[in-house]
Amino acid sequence: MCLSMSMQEPTQIRRFLLTALCLCLGWFILYDLWLSGVDTWLSLRTVETSSLLLRGLGHEIYSQHGQLLHGQQVLVYMMPACNGMVLMALFAGFILAFPGAARVGKKLAYTGCGILIIYALNVLRVAGLALNVLYGSHEMVQFNHKYAFSLVVYACIFGLWMVWVKRYALFAPHGTHVV
């Protein structure tokens, strides 16, 4: 049984890599044709949601044209590269490409939940940066933007991947067919 499992591993690795490559190519094609509009939409929604969160916490911060403003002061301007869409796609691609016995519906449900978590983390990141600008120093804003908040987001995504691999992407015993 161990011999057949180890012989199966190279096939699963090749399948994973081929699936990941196809998903990457599909991503680039879809992005050029359609997803660039979603990119803008996601940037605006992230800023608006961050604004709602901060107003709910008692701050007089509002969003306008992809910016968080306090009076006339621009606190944060959301660049499309910072909206988390690439991280969401990377997360989804890993889950969908990862071999295992999990059904497609389970993969899609986990992917959807993971994307919502990544979105929520990005909203918190943008709100945190706005508060850094409002109450902190320029050095603190730069450090948090470049390192601290990025580390938190990447660590969370890695944790979500590990939960998927260890808990949900269970491998079927050799010879078992999962429907």
Side-chain angles (χ1 to χ4, degrees):
M1 185 156 176
C2 288
L3 179 60
S4 63
M5 288 296 279
S6 64
M7 289 176 58
Q8 192 176 16
E9 286 177 16
T11 303
Q12 290 177 335
I13 292 170
R14 279 192 298 273
R15 182 175 158 229
F16 172 75
L17 292 173
L18 183 61
T19 304
L21 178 65
C22 290
L23 287 170
C24 282
L25 290 173
W27 167 260
F28 288 119
I29 292 167
L30 274 175
Y31 188 86
D32 284 342
L33 296 175
W34 178 65
L35 290 176
S36 58
V38 174
D39 210 8
T40 301
W41 177 86
L42 182 60
S43 294
L44 294 173
R45 294 301 80 70
T46 302
V47 169
E48 288 174 5
T49 307
S50 297
S51 168
L52 289 171
L53 172 66
L54 291 168
R55 278 198 313 276
L57 294 173
H59 299 279
E60 293 183 28
I61 296 173
Y62 62 97
S63 65
Q64 182 180 33
H65 307 297
Q67 302 174 92
L68 281 178
L69 302 155
H70 181 261
Q72 297 297 323
Q73 180 186 9
V74 176
L75 302 174
V76 173
Y77 174 72
M78 172 65 77
M79 300 292 293
C82 293
N83 67 15
M85 191 164 102
V86 171
L87 296 176
M88 293 172 192
L90 183 64
F91 172 78
F94 179 85
I95 299 301
L96 296 174
F98 195 83
R103 293 188 172 101
V104 173
K106 192 176 212 176
K107 282 185 171 193
L108 292 176
Y110 191 84
T111 299
C113 289
I115 286 172
L116 288 175
I117 290 169
I118 294 167
Y119 175 77
L121 283 171
N122 208 35
V123 165
L124 291 172
R125 182 182 74 88
V126 170
L129 285 172
L131 292 176
N132 277 186
V133 171
L134 195 58
Y135 300 114
S137 67
H138 179 72
E139 293 81 22
M140 190 169 88
V141 171
Q142 292 303 319
F143 177 81
N144 284 332
H145 179 257
K146 194 169 187 177
Y147 301 109
F149 293 155
S150 296
L151 179 66
V152 169
V153 171
Y154 288 124
C156 181
I157 291 170
F158 182 74
L160 288 168
W161 283 341
M162 289 294 95
V163 168
W164 174 257
V165 169
K166 300 270 187 197
R167 192 160 192 202
Y168 296 110
L170 302 173
F171 287 96
H174 182 66
T176 304
H177 180 50
V178 177
V179 181

